[in-house]
């Protein structure tokens, strides 16, 4: 069964450093998402991406964040200058062409900012 | 804006018993979808069950079923014959034909042997 994959599973970085989180969505999906989950809290929407552009973003997704689909398979989330409060689990998700489909989540990347 | 509320932060159930997790939501939309996701200790989000708002019939998936009350904006999850592997965090989620999902704060379910 196709699945969303994410790398790395755990990333440790120092405050102020740039990080790139990588995701490979399900191959025939068209909508891509990033979510964040701070430990013990609910999953929060960051951004959605469709047709090579951001279609929606939350207040969390400020200028420090960017997304890119550099090729036909990868979908990346970049944090330019990490802060301690960026420490969280980051989930990538993808969805098929129909607006009625559920989102399929990757296993997540645990980001620790020290 | 859509909101999803899960009022039970923690629940426990004896193995083989039945448990119901509650979820309410608020929306002005008429066309939407509701989901229950399971997040075990591995932290992977796994879809448990989905319900289209336009369908009156409650969705079922093996031991999992929902009680969808559209007028009351309620979407509870019933787990029958609970198993140890059901121990996880359960998130209720609202999705419309737009782009983002809205998640509740989750219910931590522990199945007791």
């Amino acid at each position: 069964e196709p699945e969303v994959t994410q790398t790395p599973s755990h990333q440790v970085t120092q405050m102020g450093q740039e990080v790139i989180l990588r995701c490979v969505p399900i191959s025939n999906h068209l909508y891509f998402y990033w979510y964040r989950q701070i430990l013990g809290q609910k999953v929060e929407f960051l951004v959605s991406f469709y047709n090579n552009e951001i279609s929606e973003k939350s207040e969390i997704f400020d200028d420090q964040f960017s997304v890119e689909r550099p090729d036909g398979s990868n979908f990346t989330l970049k944090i330019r200058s990490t802060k301690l409060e960026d420490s969280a689990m980051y989930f990538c998700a993808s969805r098929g062409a129909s607006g009625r489909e559920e989102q399929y989540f990757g296993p997540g990347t645990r980001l620790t900012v020290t | 804006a859509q909101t999803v509320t899960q009022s039970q932060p923690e629940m426990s159930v004896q193995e083989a018993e039945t448990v119901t997790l509650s979820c309410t939501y608020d929306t002005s939309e008429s066309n939407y979808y509701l989901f229950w996701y399971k997040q075990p200790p591995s932290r992977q989000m796994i879809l448990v069950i989905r319900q289209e708002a336009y369908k009156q019939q409650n969705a079922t998936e093996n031991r999992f079923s929902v009680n969808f009350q559209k007028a009351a904006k309620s979407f509870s999850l019933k787990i029958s014959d609970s198993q140890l592997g059901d121990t996880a965090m359960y998130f209720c989620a609202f999705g419309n034909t737009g782009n983002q999902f809205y998640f509740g704060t989750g219910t931590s379910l522990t199945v007791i042997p």
Side-chain angles (χ1 to χ4, degrees):
Chain A
E1 184 175 337
E3 58 184 20
V4 177
T5 59
Q6 289 184 244
T7 55
S9 57
H10 190 191
Q11 173 90 45
V12 181
T13 188
Q14 288 189 328
M15 193 168 53
Q17 295 296 305
E18 174 184 287
V19 295
I20 298 176
L21 309 183
R22 291 182 167 78
C23 168
V24 179
I26 293 173
S27 62
N28 61 345
H29 282 185
L30 299 178
Y31 297 85
F32 313 111
Y33 308 84
W34 283 102
Y35 290 85
R36 180 182 81 176
Q37 185 183 30
I38 295 172
L39 186 64
Q41 298 186 22
K42 69 176 178 180
V43 178
E44 300 174 292
F45 169 79
L46 291 178
V47 65
S48 60
F49 193 85
Y50 171 72
N51 199 26
N52 282 322
E53 61 183 18
I54 291 174
S55 48
E56 201 167 340
K57 61 182 181 179
S58 71
E59 293 178 353
I60 303 168
F61 194 88
D62 61 21
D63 292 342
Q64 292 299 313
F65 292 88
S66 63
V67 290
E68 192 178 31
R69 188 158 163 80
D71 51 42
S73 60
N74 290 284
F75 179 51
T76 61
L77 174 69
K78 182 193 291 186
I79 309 174
R80 289 191 183 82
S81 179
T82 50
K83 303 187 285 288
L84 294 176
E85 53 265 38
D86 293 328
S87 293
M89 196 78 165
Y90 288 82
F91 291 101
C92 173
S94 70
R95 179 165 67 91
S98 166
R100 299 178 179 183
E101 294 183 24
E102 61 268 24
Q103 296 182 16
Y104 292 82
F105 284 79
T109 293
R110 182 187 300 277
L111 176 65
T112 302
V113 182
T114 62
Chain B
Q2 278 67 233
T3 58
V4 179
T5 302
Q6 292 179 251
S7 58
Q8 305 152 313
E10 294 182 357
M11 292 192 72
S12 61
V13 62
Q14 292 286 338
E15 193 175 5
E17 297 295 308
T18 295
V19 64
T20 298
L21 310 183
S22 64
C23 172
T24 58
Y25 59 94
D26 189 23
T27 184
S28 58
E29 301 189 34
S30 58
N31 189 19
Y32 55 87
Y33 308 87
L34 296 162
F35 307 87
W36 278 98
Y37 281 88
K38 168 184 176 181
Q39 188 181 43
S42 67
R43 306 212 65 185
Q44 170 114 38
M45 297 280 283
I46 302 165
L47 179 69
V48 174
I49 199 165
R50 59 173 283 171
Q51 172 82 41
E52 290 91 342
Y54 64 89
K55 289 187 178 178
Q56 292 186 334
Q57 186 174 8
N58 289 324
T60 63
E61 282 288 341
N62 301 314
R63 298 184 294 108
F64 299 89
S65 61
V66 299
N67 183 5
F68 174 48
Q69 302 289 330
K70 190 172 183 179
K73 295 179 181 172
S74 169
F75 182 60
S76 60
L77 174 69
K78 185 171 82 171
I79 306 174
S80 305
D81 185 26
S82 298
Q83 300 175 0
L84 296 179
D86 295 334
T87 292
M89 197 76 169
Y90 287 81
F91 290 97
C92 178
F94 171 100
N96 53 20
T97 51
N99 276 310
Q100 59 173 293
F101 276 18
Y102 300 85
F103 285 85
T105 51
T107 296
S108 177
L109 176 68
T110 301
V111 180
I112 303 167

